[in-house]
Structure formats: C-alpha cells, structure tokens
Amino acid sequence: QVHLVESGGGSVQSGGSLRLSCATSGYTYGTNCMGWLRRQAPGKGRDGVASINSGGRTTVADSVKGRFTISQVNAKNTLYLQMNNLKPEDTAMYYCAAGIRYGSTGDDCAYNTWGQGTQVTVSS
C-alpha cells in the first residue's frame, strides 16, 4: 500500500510562495497518477488543484493556473507543488493523493490513497 506524507505548509502573506512536498513510500505498483487537492473549509469537499500522470502529463485547475506548478522527482519518490503569488482564497488544507489513470485519454486520475494533509494559510 502506498503511504503519503505531506510537508511544506505554513502561513504566508498574499503574494508569497510556498513549496509543498509529498514523500511516497510503500508498495506503489498499480499507481500511475498523483495529484494535489485542497479543502478550503471544514465539511466542504476536496477540490482538485493539480495532477501528474505516468506519462508526464500535468493538469492544473483554472483557479491556480499560472501560479501553481506540479512536478515529480521519481528518484526521490517525491511529488511537489510550487505555489507562487498566493492569494487569501488559496487558504486550505492541501492533500497529496495517488491513484489510477482512467478515461479515454488516461488523463483522469481516480485517487485511492491520501495523505494527512498540510495547512496553507494566506493572509491579506
């Protein structure tokens, strides 16, 4: 089973930057996509922020396009989310997730494993 541990969250002012990391360990066979999601309020669902699949294709939500970048270093078994020009509306608990590709193009990811999350707070 895949085990995911996020780090790098914190408090920053609007316009600042943070880089989230997700360390991956365990049995990763069958996992061929990963992503970052966030929950902006308790009780609210998690929204997709960015994803990357085994083909290297990335997707980024419109709300963060041009500001957030997802990347993966396989040699380090680590997933990253570089967040620049942060805004107060980016405040959320950020989760790393792993899953299996699906869809006609294989660009969608069905997540089945989640980390515990790391809090990001952006003040105005």
Side-chain angles (χ1 to χ4, degrees):
Q1 186 175 352
V2 177
H3 186 54
L4 307 173
V5 178
E6 303 96 333
S7 62
S11 297
V12 296
Q13 290 190 326
S14 183
S17 298
L18 286 173
R19 187 176 78 159
L20 304 184
S21 299
C22 174
T24 304
S25 61
Y27 188 65
T28 60
Y29 180 77
T31 296
N32 54 18
C33 54
M34 296 190 71
W36 291 96
L37 299 91
R38 66 187 183 186
R39 178 179 281 130
Q40 293 177 294
K44 192 177 176 182
R46 284 179 283 210
D47 298 320
V49 175
S51 68
I52 185 168
N53 65 30
S54 55
R57 181 171 172 83
T58 62
T59 64
V60 181
D62 288 341
S63 59
V64 304
K65 198 165 289 183
R67 301 187 296 121
F68 291 11
T69 304
I70 188 171
S71 61
Q72 188 171 29
V73 179
N74 291 328
K76 294 184 178 181
N77 294 324
T78 304
L79 181 74
Y80 298 100
L81 184 68
Q82 178 66 43
M83 305 186 295
N84 297 328
N85 191 21
L86 282 160
K87 303 177 180 180
E89 53 263 42
D90 295 318
T91 294
M93 182 70 79
Y94 284 73
Y95 298 90
C96 172
I100 300 172
R101 296 169 64 176
Y102 76 99
S104 58
T105 61
D107 290 338
D108 295 305
C109 189
Y111 299 112
N112 53 32
T113 303
W114 302 84
Q116 293 299 306
T118 185
Q119 178 68 38
V120 171
T121 303
V122 185
S123 58
S124 58

